[in-house]
Amino acid sequence: MLAMAGLGLWSLGAVTAQAADATELPKYQTNAAALKAAPQGVDLTSDEYSTYFTINKSIKGTDSTNSAVLKGTDDGVGSPSGKGNSVIQITSSSQQNKWGSIWSTDDKFNLSQPETASMWVFLSGPTKGSVGDGMAFVLQNGKTDAFSGTTTLGATSDLIPKKTTVDVPGVGESMGVWGADPQEYTSHDLAGSAIQNSWALEFDTHENSYIPPLPAGLIYNWDLDDKYNPSSFDAGKYYNTFKDGKPTGSGGTISTDNHIASNYPGSPDTYTPVAEKGMKTTWDPFNVYRKYSYSYYYYKMTHLGYLDEGATGQDGSMTDYRWHHITLDYTPPTGSDTNGQMTYTFNDKDPVTGAPQASSDSQTVPIDLSAFKLTGDDTSVRWGFTGSTGEATANNLVVFDQLPGEAETAATATLSQKNDDGTFSTVDSNTAALTGGTTVKLEYDFKRTGGLEDWNDINAELTIPKSISLTSGTISRPDGSNDAVDLSRQSGTNLPITLGRDGNGLTLSGSRGGKVTLYGTVGDTTATEDSTTSYFQGSNATSAAKLTGFSVKQATLSMDIDDTASTLKVNLGSGGSDAKVIGVVVATDKTLPRSDITVYPTLNGKELASFKADDEAHIQPGYGTDGFNYTIPNDKLKKGANTISFRAETASGDKSVPISREITAGALELRSTGDLSYGSSMLNGAGTILERDNAWSLYVDDSLVTKNTWELDAATTGMYRDGTPTNPKLDGALIFKDSQDNSSNPGVELSTVPLKIASGGTEDGTSQSTNIAADWTDGNGIRLKINAGATEGTYSGEITWTFVNSAS
């Protein structure tokens, strides 16, 4: 243990990403500020999307105006990326009893295929605690004039005037999609006044659970002359568990907070009428003003897939004057099941950076396709938003960053662990805890599956589990090109990846797809990792890829290497020494016999012979019972960097975190980066000297790891016609003159006796690269002398280069 202290044993701890405190995030308390700070979304004013939505100003039964409006950059809408941006404003603050709706012009949401709707929402009012009433995302099999509020009512009482219709449109708690409470004295079918053949997801920002209190004396329940009428949809139950498409259990109690929930507006099962006795003043048949007792009905609404979103106007709630992101992922029915599924996840993007973030604020509900009353082969419905205000008001804003029906996309994520034989096996919910140090592979596949448009400008925002340390990665594109992943861009658990070339996103058409593959190791810290979600974001669609959760157990073995005592730098070749690694392998179980521990070395990815920890040939004195040594013969090394890795394993299969070191093998080499030639010359019966045809580049690469000097010699047997030694030899010779020689001597002839051409060396063993021909000009260096007896032909030959060096 004393020896181990000097080796600095370490383990990789979990990396924790810090989220910003909600109180530090910016707030936008006016409509103008919220619009200016709008996140980037699809530009609905562009040529591509200008006709995607319809804002119908004419709703049957009302003369009031649809308050929904499309706002673009000309209206002060922010554009963080510099691209065009759009906001749908359903209602605005300080405008009471208003309604708004927007619908896809065509039936864009296909219930037979996976669909994703992704958007930013802003739902805050002018005053904390008084925000109303909210808005709803709606799927409906109808027209663009759909809005709740039109229905025919039955008789009430001979003494009470009859109501024949509900006020149009349905404002307040109905949000323009749910049934409108007629506030009457007989029970009515509220479903008839809702948007028919529909499913809705509400963003409810106003408590509607008012029931008139019991007056003093308890003679009757309600004073029906009171100015407050029941507004009680939120007095219903909520259900978050389902079987065969129906809610199960006894249901929960809805809080007074903001909430998100869903149901079928046109279904009678959505509403529960409750009758109470009350007293109301009216004229009797004898024209006397009296109080009479009547039954007064109010209605509770059943909420499916309920999410509590905090108190009105508080930090961290849905009405905190900040933008919030929500993604709706629809999965169509499979097999004999008639129900699809809708998963909606709130706050799944960072409100400041827009980057995806993990969110557990999510519910999944069944979608009964029969509720839409589709006919024939039709499987598509219209989609959009409705919203309304009552006495309380709000800015209800939406920015879409993925539109259903444009580009249908899919993405998957798979985690695999490396086996001893080098293969990988998939990690799923049944996989045992991964041992610290295990090599893992993350595979993210993404593709376009259908739709009307290409999937444009796609880039990735991956969420990497905290326990995984990445080592490498590759992007594979459908055209067969591949590039390395820039891992330096990772920040905490977030890894953004540019999928295209030259900093651009990737565009996919047809059923083409791509893949991101990452390799890494699991940290040696016991941990439980929840599932993570990564995103492939295009300009018109985003797909989420969920990676399975997993657990990690700390390795029972640990290793380290003593860099100072090891020999990790050697010279390559017959004069070089062997490399040697000295380290320790430590078991947490001190009773474990050393004979139960096997060490597996790997050199440059190739496994070498393993050894037992108690093998005397590998025991290193001075390190107690934990030390080991391992020699790597010089002839097994390659020039330059070599990677030696070790892992230890017990007889029971527990493994250590692999540990690696780089072994540098130095060498002395000569290389040429161009042709070595002399061109051609006209023979004139007289001798001549040919200069080099071009600038020669002759590099001496000196990577020897110790101080050394070297000399480079050259020798030749001459030049022969067509380069064949049995053919006539050129009447001439290669000659050499040093660039520092200023004499008239043309140079020394090269022969079979080596001639010194250059010399050099290093003082400290630092790698050098020297071009020995860098200062050769006309008149020096290696030239070709042609004698008078030379005959016509093409001649070539070989120069034999010899290094003479002395490494100290």
Side-chain angles (χ1 to χ4, degrees):
M1 293 298 293
L2 181 63
M4 284 168 49
L7 295 181
L9 288 171
W10 56 270
S11 64
L12 177 66
V15 179
T16 303
Q18 298 295 326
D21 190 319
T23 59
E24 299 175 357
L25 298 177
K27 295 183 178 181
Y28 313 106
Q29 294 184 312
T30 66
N31 190 50
L35 291 172
K36 185 176 181 180
Q40 181 64 48
V42 176
D43 183 5
L44 299 176
T45 65
S46 66
D47 292 341
E48 185 177 2
Y49 295 110
S50 60
T51 60
Y52 188 95
F53 286 109
T54 295
I55 298 176
N56 196 325
K57 296 297 184 180
S58 176
I59 302 298
K60 183 179 179 181
T62 179
D63 294 329
S64 59
T65 302
N66 188 341
S67 63
V69 62
L70 172 63
K71 291 183 174 290
T73 51
D74 292 341
D75 304 302
V77 173
S79 182
S81 69
K83 301 178 181 178
N85 203 14
S86 299
V87 172
I88 295 289
Q89 180 169 298
I90 303 297
T91 64
S92 60
S93 62
S94 304
Q95 294 186 355
Q96 297 177 325
N97 299 311
K98 296 294 183 180
W99 62 275
S101 67
I102 180 172
W103 299 107
S104 60
T105 304
D106 301 314
D107 294 345
K108 292 281 192 176
F109 202 104
N110 193 336
L111 295 169
S112 67
Q113 297 180 355
E115 294 278 17
T116 296
S118 176
M119 68 209 74
W120 293 90
V121 294
F122 186 92
L123 307 110
S124 295
T127 307
K128 283 187 177 182
S130 180
V131 181
D133 268 85
M135 60 183 179
F137 173 91
V138 186
L139 304 177
Q140 56 104 351
N141 183 21
K143 299 180 179 180
T144 60
D145 62 353
F147 208 85
S148 65
T150 301
T151 187
T152 301
L153 305 180
T156 55
S157 164
D158 290 339
L159 301 178
I160 303 297
K162 299 177 180 179
K163 280 193 174 184
T164 57
T165 60
V166 174
D167 292 338
V168 178
V171 296
E173 67 178 354
S174 77
M175 297 185 203
V177 64
W178 307 113
D181 188 343
Q183 299 175 353
E184 264 284 59
Y185 307 104
T186 57
S187 175
H188 299 289
D189 177 15
L190 260 62
S193 64
I195 292 182
Q196 299 300 294
N197 309 328
S198 66
W199 174 88
L201 179 70
E202 69 171 11
F203 300 83
D204 195 331
T205 58
H206 190 79
E207 180 190 356
N208 298 108
S209 57
Y210 176 76
I211 299 173
L214 294 174
L218 302 178
I219 299 173
Y220 49 82
N221 294 77
W222 290 350
D223 181 357
L224 299 180
D225 292 326
D226 191 290
K227 65 177 181 178
Y228 295 105
N229 291 312
S231 178
S232 47
F233 278 4
D234 295 339
K237 294 283 189 179
Y238 75 81
Y239 298 85
N240 287 346
T241 57
F242 306 90
K243 183 178 181 180
D244 299 327
K246 302 296 182 182
T248 60
S250 57
T253 301
I254 298 171
S255 72
T256 59
D257 293 345
N258 304 314
H259 59 265
I260 299 172
S262 65
N263 213 326
Y264 304 96
S267 171
D269 294 340
T270 300
Y271 314 94
T272 302
V274 180
E276 296 286 357
K277 288 292 185 180
M279 297 296 291
K280 183 175 180 62
T281 305
T282 189
W283 294 98
D284 69 8
F286 303 102
N287 206 30
V288 177
Y289 202 52
R290 300 178 184 275
K291 281 187 176 290
Y292 288 90
S293 174
Y294 300 102
S295 290
Y296 194 105
Y297 283 85
Y298 67 98
Y299 300 84
K300 299 178 179 181
M301 193 177 87
T302 299
H303 294 60
L304 306 181
Y306 175 80
L307 297 173
D308 188 334
E309 298 304 338
T312 302
Q314 301 298 312
D315 283 328
S317 77
M318 192 163 65
T319 54
D320 58 0
Y321 302 102
R322 299 182 178 108
W323 286 92
H324 295 265
H325 192 269
I326 186 167
T327 300
L328 290 83
D329 288 308
Y330 171 76
T331 303
T334 57
S336 60
D337 194 354
T338 60
N339 295 302
Q341 284 192 328
M342 183 74 80
T343 298
Y344 39 92
T345 306
F346 196 58
N347 287 328
D348 59 341
K349 287 189 179 181
D350 186 286
V352 176
T353 66
Q357 64 183 12
S359 174
S360 58
D361 198 6
S362 180
Q363 288 291 341
T364 299
V365 297
I367 299 292
D368 183 2
L369 270 60
S370 68
F372 299 98
K373 294 183 170 55
L374 297 166
T375 58
D377 296 330
D378 188 12
T379 59
S380 295
V381 295
R382 198 180 306 277
W383 73 279
F385 266 90
T386 65
S388 63
T389 63
E391 292 187 0
T393 64
N395 294 314
N396 287 331
L397 312 174
V398 185
V399 171
F400 300 105
D401 56 5
Q402 179 170 351
L403 302 174
E406 286 300 281
E408 293 159 8
T409 64
T412 59
T414 305
L415 172 65
S416 303
Q417 63 174 324
K418 190 174 184 180
N419 304 313
D420 290 339
D421 61 0
T423 62
F424 284 84
S425 57
T426 302
V427 174
D428 56 28
S429 58
N430 298 318
T431 303
L434 304 181
T435 302
T438 299
T439 297
V440 293
K441 177 170 62 174
L442 303 171
E443 296 174 284
Y444 299 88
D445 291 277
F446 58 99
K447 67 182 297 185
R448 181 187 181 277
T449 59
L452 304 177
E453 302 292 337
D454 291 345
W455 191 7
N456 300 316
D457 198 22
I458 315 159
N459 290 305
E461 291 283 348
L462 305 185
T463 301
I464 308 301
K466 295 186 292 294
S467 295
I468 295 178
S469 178
L470 298 179
T471 55
S472 65
T474 303
I475 304 166
S476 300
R477 304 183 184 89
D479 62 1
S481 63
N482 297 279
D483 280 312
V485 174
D486 183 2
L487 298 182
S488 68
R489 298 182 66 191
Q490 183 175 354
S491 176
T493 59
N494 179 248
L495 175 61
I497 300 177
T498 301
L499 296 176
R501 291 293 183 86
D502 301 324
N504 298 317
L506 180 67
T507 293
L508 296 177
S509 59
S511 58
R512 304 180 83 187
K515 187 185 191 75
V516 175
T517 304
L518 303 173
Y519 291 91
T521 55
V522 178
D524 194 25
T525 301
T526 299
T528 299
E529 293 282 359
D530 294 329
S531 62
T532 56
T533 302
S534 297
Y535 295 87
F536 290 86
Q537 299 172 302
S539 62
N540 59 339
T542 299
S543 264
K546 184 168 287 188
L547 191 72
T548 185
F550 60 94
S551 57
V552 181
K553 64 178 181 180
Q554 189 171 15
T556 59
L557 297 173
S558 55
M559 302 186 74
D560 206 352
I561 292 173
D562 189 340
D563 295 324
T564 303
S566 299
T567 303
L568 301 176
K569 292 185 177 181
V570 299
N571 289 333
L572 192 66
S574 58
S577 62
D578 295 335
K580 189 172 185 178
V581 175
I582 295 174
V584 292
V585 53
V586 182
T588 55
D589 180 4
K590 300 306 177 185
T591 65
L592 183 70
R594 303 295 291 175
S595 59
D596 280 1
I597 302 174
T598 303
V599 179
Y600 296 90
T602 301
L603 179 64
N604 297 327
K606 183 178 181 180
E607 291 189 359
L608 303 178
S610 62
F611 61 91
K612 295 287 187 180
D614 65 342
D615 186 340
E616 291 187 5
H618 294 282
I619 293 176
Q620 180 64 26
Y623 291 79
T625 59
D626 299 321
F628 73 88
N629 66 70
Y630 191 80
T631 299
I632 302 96
N634 190 282
D635 61 4
K636 290 187 176 295
L637 299 173
K638 65 179 182 178
K639 182 177 71 73
N642 296 261
T643 300
I644 183 72
S645 302
F646 297 90
R647 67 175 177 85
E649 184 173 344
T650 67
S652 60
D654 289 338
K655 301 174 183 178
S656 70
V657 177
I659 190 166
S660 312
R661 288 296 187 271
E662 183 176 287
I663 298 174
T664 302
L668 194 62
E669 291 185 323
L670 180 70
R671 62 183 171 90
S672 170
T673 61
D675 293 336
L676 305 181
S677 64
Y678 293 93
S680 60
S681 175
M682 180 71 70
L683 297 177
N684 57 11
T688 186
I689 295 178
L690 293 185
E691 301 294 342
R692 293 168 300 279
D693 192 35
N694 50 23
W696 286 13
S697 294
L698 291 170
Y699 286 90
V700 175
D701 293 332
D702 181 1
S703 61
L704 297 175
V705 299
T706 55
K707 176 182 177 181
N708 76 96
T709 60
W710 53 264
E711 175 184 306
L712 179 65
D713 297 342
T716 182
T717 60
M719 302 179 72
Y720 297 86
R721 183 177 293 171
D722 298 328
T724 304
T726 57
N727 287 343
K729 185 178 181 180
L730 176 68
D731 185 9
L734 293 172
I735 59 175
F736 173 72
K737 183 177 180 180
D738 189 274
S739 61
Q740 304 302 316
D741 186 351
N742 296 319
S743 70
S744 60
N745 177 25
V748 180
E749 289 190 7
L750 272 63
S751 66
T752 57
V753 178
L755 176 68
K756 178 181 176 181
I757 301 297
S759 63
T762 60
E763 291 296 319
D764 56 4
T766 303
S767 295
Q768 289 184 351
S769 184
T770 305
N771 182 6
I772 66 171
D775 59 353
W776 291 358
T777 60
D778 288 352
N780 58 48
I782 298 178
R783 300 181 295 162
L784 178 61
K785 182 178 71 171
I786 300 177
N787 297 329
T791 59
E792 181 182 0
T794 301
Y795 295 83
S796 61
E798 293 183 352
I799 297 176
T800 301
W801 303 94
T802 305
F803 275 118
V804 178
N805 72 88
S806 174
S808 60

